[in-house]
Amino acid sequence: MATKDADEKLEGSVKFFFGKQEYPKVMAKLGSDVSNRKTNAFGKSDEKACNWAFLSAMIALERRAKQLAANAVVNIVSYYRKVEMSSTTDFECHAGAVIAGVALKGDFVKITEE
């Protein structure tokens, strides 16, 4: 998340909380969803392709949150092939010679502003 691309592509109006990371009090839960994004990995390092797929998944979560009038996405976990992997610092990515993919699952909520 602490990259130039993330700063440029994510609007910042939605807050993200990963895994068991603590977050402010939830005023309303507005739904849950999965963002499954793939990217062309041809000629890219696995790290670059995975980071791009991750950012694409985060952009999709941000867009969905805004559609639901949520101001945060909490409990974000990797959800590749419907297997949860929870972490506050890492995500699961599957990269091959041609395609890299990241799937994230999270809950869309309204949290108190602190």
Side-chain angles (χ1 to χ4, degrees):
M1 292 291 295
T3 67
K4 181 181 176 193
D5 284 337
D7 287 341
E8 291 175 358
K9 305 283 185 197
L10 293 168
E11 293 180 20
S13 60
V14 175
K15 295 183 175 148
F16 300 103
F17 298 90
F18 296 86
K20 304 279 184 213
Q21 190 176 17
E22 289 188 27
Y23 47 86
K25 182 179 178 185
V26 172
M27 305 303 288
K29 183 174 176 186
L30 304 169
S32 298
D33 205 355
V34 175
S35 173
N36 187 352
R37 294 294 184 259
K38 308 236 185 291
T39 191
N40 179 346
F42 185 76
K44 297 177 186 146
S45 69
D46 286 352
E47 181 180 6
K48 184 172 184 169
C50 286
N51 285 340
W52 187 255
F54 172 79
L55 182 56
S56 295
M58 293 300 296
I59 291 167
L61 288 176
E62 182 180 64
R63 285 184 184 146
R64 184 67 179 137
K66 290 171 75 175
Q67 289 173 345
L68 294 171
N71 64 356
V73 185
V74 300
N75 305 319
I76 300 171
V77 295
S78 290
Y79 198 62
Y80 198 82
R81 293 192 176 166
K82 298 183 180 179
V83 176
E84 283 190 22
M85 196 256 332
S86 179
S87 174
T88 57
T89 58
D90 297 317
F91 63 92
E92 186 174 1
C93 176
H94 290 258
V98 180
I99 299 287
V102 171
L104 302 174
K105 180 171 82 166
D107 300 322
F108 302 98
V109 298
K110 276 196 183 249
I111 57 173
T112 57
E113 297 292 329
E114 293 189 345

